[in-house]
């Protein structure tokens, strides 16, 4: 399918539609045990599964209610893929959930914060969502810090609500209202 999704840019990053050329990189990233530890998949993550995911994502021209849409996060200076960010729109399109995954070597440089903040900009200013949500394992301190830096507020813990195959864990819920994000952006 022809992509109509225009890349989102920041000072250091480009968030672009994924292509089949990203499959091996996606499989490598998702096969890292530290990356998979708090995610909805198990390592190793086969490249065939990455291709299926990318085929599903690229069957749509961009974010659509009821579906996840992932974007490759590419570093501007060398076009290196650092990871991905994703957005899921609720059925009525008024709530978005966001997520992010970086290669271990790309962590610690605030790339996740920069990419996710740009995705929130897109959700609020381009898609017109009212609320943005994110969830993570309560022990995933790095992800919690990213969310808090962006301005998400902790809204609670859903006890034993997150399943990966036959294992259950708690799910920490974070939320951000569009009006709070707009006010924050006006102060920048």
């Amino acid at each position: 399918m022809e992509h109509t999704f225009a890349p989102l840019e920041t000072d250091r990053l480009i968030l672009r539609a994924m292509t089949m050329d990203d499959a091996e990189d996606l499989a490598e990233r998702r096969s890292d045990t530290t990356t998979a530890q708090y995610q909805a998949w198990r390592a190793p993550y086969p490249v065939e599964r990455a291709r299926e995911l990318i085929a599903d994502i690229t069957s749509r021209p961009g974010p659509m209610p009821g579906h996840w849409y992932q974007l490759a996060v590419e570093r501007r200076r060398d076009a290196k893929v650092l990871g991905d960010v994703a957005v899921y729109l609720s059925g009525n399109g008024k709530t978005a959930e966001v997520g992010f995954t970086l290669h271990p070597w790309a962590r610690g440089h605030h790339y996740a914060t920069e990419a996710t903040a740009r995705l929130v900009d897109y959700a609020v200013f381009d898609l017109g969502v009212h609320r943005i949500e994110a969830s993570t394992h309560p022990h995933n301190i790095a992800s919690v810090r990213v969310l808090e830096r962006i301005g998400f507020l902790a809204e609670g813990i859903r006890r034993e609500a997150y399943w990966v195959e036959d294992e259950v864990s708690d799910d920490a819920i974070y939320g951000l209202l569009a009006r709070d994000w707009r006010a924050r952006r006006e102060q920048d």
Side-chain angles (χ1 to χ4, degrees):
M1 176 174 202
E2 192 64 34
H3 288 290
T4 57
F5 185 85
L8 307 174
E9 300 186 17
T10 71
D11 289 343
R12 300 184 299 163
L13 306 173
I14 297 171
L15 284 58
R16 60 161 176 80
M18 285 190 155
T19 69
M20 280 301 167
D21 290 342
D22 295 310
E24 287 187 23
D25 183 76
L26 177 63
E28 176 188 326
R29 183 167 55 255
R30 287 189 167 199
S31 290
D32 174 72
T33 54
T34 63
T35 302
Q37 181 179 4
Y38 298 123
Q39 298 290 348
W41 64 81
R42 296 260 189 240
Y45 192 89
V47 72
E48 299 78 33
R49 191 166 168 204
R51 285 188 190 106
E52 290 169 9
L53 177 62
I54 292 169
D56 178 60
I57 293 164
T58 57
S59 70
R60 292 178 291 283
M64 296 176 68
H67 299 279
W68 279 99
Y69 193 77
Q70 282 178 261
L71 300 166
V73 176
E74 198 174 272
R75 192 166 47 200
R76 275 179 177 274
R77 68 178 160 86
D78 59 5
K80 181 81 173 155
V81 174
L82 307 174
D84 60 82
V85 291
V87 61
Y88 179 89
L89 292 176
S90 63
N92 66 7
K94 297 296 182 192
T95 301
E97 183 176 353
V98 296
F100 46 89
T101 306
L102 293 184
H103 281 288
W105 51 262
R107 297 178 193 150
H109 304 281
H110 297 286
Y111 292 132
T113 302
E114 186 174 333
T116 305
R118 181 63 184 95
L119 189 60
V120 170
D121 275 342
Y122 173 73
V124 170
F125 298 113
D126 296 295
L127 300 178
V129 303
H130 176 77
R131 173 182 166 80
I132 303 97
E133 298 175 338
S135 66
T136 189
H137 191 285
H139 298 148
N140 190 347
I141 302 305
S143 289
V144 167
R145 287 189 182 129
V146 167
L147 295 171
E148 290 175 345
R149 266 195 299 274
I150 293 169
F152 281 83
L153 299 177
E155 294 184 337
I157 303 288
R158 295 182 341 163
R159 297 178 308 138
E160 296 185 12
Y162 191 77
W163 289 88
V164 178
E165 295 176 6
D166 60 350
E167 285 186 34
V168 68
S169 66
D170 293 347
D171 204 15
I173 307 302
Y174 289 80
L176 176 63
L177 298 179
R179 67 175 167 266
D180 296 335
W181 183 250
R182 283 191 292 269
R184 185 183 180 105
R185 283 308 206 203
E186 288 171 8
Q187 293 173 353
D188 288 348

